[in-house]
Amino acid sequence: MVIGKVVSRVISTRKYDTLQGYKLLVIEPLNGDTKEVFVAADTIGAGEGEIVLVSFGSAVQHALHQQAPIDAIVVGIVDQEPTMPK
Amino acid sequence: MVIGKVVSRVISTRKYDTLQGYKLLVIEPLNGDTKEVFVAADTIGAGEGEIVLVSFGSAVQHALHQQAPIDAIVVGIVDQEPTMPK
Amino acid sequence: MVIGKVVSRVISTRKYDTLQGYKLLVIEPLNGDTKEVFVAADTIGAGEGEIVLVSFGSAVQHALHQQAPIDAIVVGIVDQEPTMPK
Amino acid sequence: MVIGKVVSRVISTRKYDTLQGYKLLVIEPLNGDTKEVFVAADTIGAGEGEIVLVSFGSAVQHALHQQAPIDAIVVGIVDQEPTMPK
Amino acid sequence: MVIGKVVSRVISTRKYDTLQGYKLLVIEPLNGDTKEVFVAADTIGAGEGEIVLVSFGSAVQHALHQQAPIDAIVVGIVDQEPTMPK
């Protein structure tokens, strides 16, 4: 999983039906040197600026009510940014 | 998922039968420093220059009518390029 | 799999129910140039500073009692940091 | 998927039985800055110097007659190198 | 798949039971610029300094007798280091 900060929201009108009902968040990972921004679905209600925990890959389906072409999902909101290596 | 811009189209005459009927798009990710271009299948009708949302991995199969060796698919067309971190 | 050092712990109050009961550890990989910190679930009891072996992706589910949106898990504690290439 | 050029062939005498019958090709991706060479199985008959489309991950199994520990496969031969971003 | 050189062995006394019986090898990829060392399970009997072919992800399970949280496995020993791009 990756810890990241919610940056903004993606609005997409033309999309797969199975993506309806998910917020799609732009997330900046807090994992060191790189800043490879990605998009994750959210059902928890994470807001901009919040620090979240995101899961990727096939594990995502275990967080969905119905299978969908989603490969990243917010699985938790982090209480406090943890200690990171220097 | 990744936000990217459609750059061009890949034409492949000799390919697996299960890839027939998909447009294969060259996509440039809009995710920060790197510019790791990739190819995604498309059934929504994304055109060159459009900003799209792409899913990867096993999640892709949930967007297909029939299982196929496809590991990236356009799942939405983004209305407007979202705010990205500076 | 990746060898890494346990750096700290992530506390998340608002999270998926299926993540309850796992320690969530910030891990710094010991794999060369990059320092792409990630978060892995732990059931073995790895402590801060310990060197651990982490598995990713769909293989993680084979270490869980119940399917969960977890994509990285500590699968072993390494007795001694192995020889790495110079 | 990734577009790449076939560089050479890997010969492995001691390998899993389920890998018998596949050509194993060294492929150089044509995706921008990095040149992370990888190995993909091939059943289409791609030759050295040809430009191919390669799929990765669990999608690969949908191109095999029998499940095998193969994580990358040539799914098409590209007619002409597509336009890439500058 | 990735071609790599076996560097050393990882010893882990406290680990998941389903990892018993596998050698765990530190492998240095031979794929270009980066040197992202990883750990792969081995059942073929690869020794230090040998050049091996490694598969990742869900494909690994097709090389195991029993499902296990293993995400990388040696699938072949390479007879001779293949030609790589300059």
Side-chain angles (χ1 to χ4, degrees), chain D residues 7-19 24 26-28 33-41 56-61 67-73, chain E residues 1-3 30-35 42-46 50 53-60 62-64 73-80 82-86:
Chain D
V7 174
S8 58
R9 194 169 163 181
V10 179
I11 305 298
S12 168
T13 305
R14 285 168 63 196
K15 59 172 180 269
Y16 272 81
D17 282 350
T18 46
L19 263 67
L24 300 170
V26 176
I27 293 175
E28 181 182 12
D33 295 343
T34 56
K35 297 286 181 203
E36 291 277 326
V37 173
F38 59 84
V39 175
F56 296 87
S58 60
V60 169
Q61 303 302 316
Q67 291 188 325
I70 294 172
D71 65 4
I73 194 154
Chain E
M1 290 153 284
V2 160
I3 292 177
L30 304 177
N31 59 357
D33 294 343
T34 57
K35 298 286 181 201
D42 174 54
T43 64
I44 297 184
E50 280 192 297
L53 191 64
V54 180
S55 263
F56 296 87
S58 60
V60 169
H62 305 311
L64 307 179
I73 194 156
V74 174
V75 293
I77 296 176
V78 175
D79 294 5
Q80 189 179 352
T83 307
M84 302 290 267
K86 275 140 292 197

Side-chain angles (χ1 to χ4, degrees), chain D residues 15-83:
Chain D
K15 59 172 180 269
Y16 272 81
D17 282 350
T18 46
L19 263 67
Q20 301 290 351
Y22 293 100
K23 277 203 295 182
L24 300 170
L25 301 175
V26 176
I27 293 175
E28 181 182 12
L30 303 177
N31 59 357
D33 295 343
T34 56
K35 297 286 181 203
E36 291 277 326
V37 173
F38 59 84
V39 175
D42 174 54
T43 64
I44 297 183
E48 284 180 31
E50 279 192 297
I51 307 297
V52 294
L53 191 64
V54 180
S55 264
F56 296 87
S58 60
V60 169
Q61 303 302 316
H62 305 311
L64 307 179
H65 292 294
Q66 183 192 357
Q67 291 188 325
I70 294 172
D71 65 4
I73 194 154
V74 174
V75 293
I77 296 175
V78 175
D79 294 5
Q80 188 179 353
E81 201 173 324
T83 307

Side-chain angles (χ1 to χ4, degrees), chain B residues 8 11 13 16 36 39 69 71, chain D residues 1 31 34 43 55-56 79 83:
Chain B
S8 58
I11 305 299
T13 304
Y16 271 82
E36 290 277 327
V39 175
D71 65 4
Chain D
M1 289 153 284
N31 59 357
T34 56
T43 64
S55 264
F56 296 87
D79 294 5
T83 307

